[in-house]
Amino acid sequence: MPSCRACVLTCMDFRIQAGVANWLQQKGLAGKYDYLSLPGASRNFLSEGKINLVEDSYRLHHIMEVYLIHHEDCGAYNLGHLPVEEQLARQRQDMETAARILKERHPELKVCLAFLYLDGRMVELA
Ligand SMILES: [Zn+2]
């Protein structure tokens, strides 16, 4: 039986969907992840209940990894007027907060942070 390896939490933005899917495929994860596509990815991880969705994936499919994938010019952050490295730095704070919460609750989970530039480059932060 095929098994689920990961839960992916990324943004709903249509511009990033192909890039995210291609990157996950390159990592050998095609067909092996639950997919959560919500505004701002891990922004407001607790207050918007996103953690509950990741924990549903954890409970139902026994995932081992969580991918938090943010992107350049995210409408949920409205920071498109800033240089992209500043956008990344601001979003990274939320990603690291979400990762810390997940690791506190589920120390065995591997949490990966990544940021997609709109030119298609993906940078792994952790
Ligand atoms: Zn976005």
Side-chain angles (χ1 to χ4, degrees):
M1 196 176 92
S3 64
C4 190
R5 224 175 90 188
C7 179
V8 176
L9 173 58
T10 189
C11 187
M12 67 185 285
D13 193 312
F14 74 99
R15 296 172 294 173
I16 69 167
Q17 301 308 319
V20 169
N22 290 339
W23 185 74
L24 291 166
Q25 183 171 30
Q26 284 165 24
K27 293 190 98 54
L29 285 166
K32 297 177 181 167
Y33 55 85
D34 288 339
Y35 193 70
L36 299 169
S37 173
L38 298 166
S42 70
R43 181 173 186 265
N44 296 334
F45 191 60
L46 279 180
S47 63
E48 291 185 11
K50 290 165 172 172
I51 187 168
N52 299 325
L53 303 175
V54 175
E55 287 189 321
D56 284 344
S57 171
Y58 177 79
R59 199 167 46 248
L60 291 169
H61 298 145
H62 314 294
I63 54 167
M64 293 172 283
E65 303 167 356
V66 176
Y67 289 83
L68 306 178
I69 305 174
H70 285 228
H71 70 99
E72 177 180 1
D73 192 34
C74 183
Y77 282 88
N78 195 23
L79 298 172
H81 56 289
L82 294 177
V84 66
E85 296 310 320
E86 287 181 39
Q87 299 178 35
L88 195 165
R90 172 63 190 87
Q91 295 193 44
R92 185 174 187 155
Q93 295 174 12
D94 289 345
M95 299 163 85
E96 289 179 345
T97 297
R100 191 173 63 245
I101 292 165
L102 281 168
K103 296 289 283 184
E104 279 170 9
R105 297 201 191 195
H106 310 287
E108 69 283 11
L109 270 181
K110 181 180 169 208
V111 183
C112 306
L113 312 181
F115 186 89
L116 183 71
Y117 292 86
L118 291 183
D119 65 8
R121 272 180 308 138
M122 185 81 82
V123 177
E124 292 189 54
L125 306 172

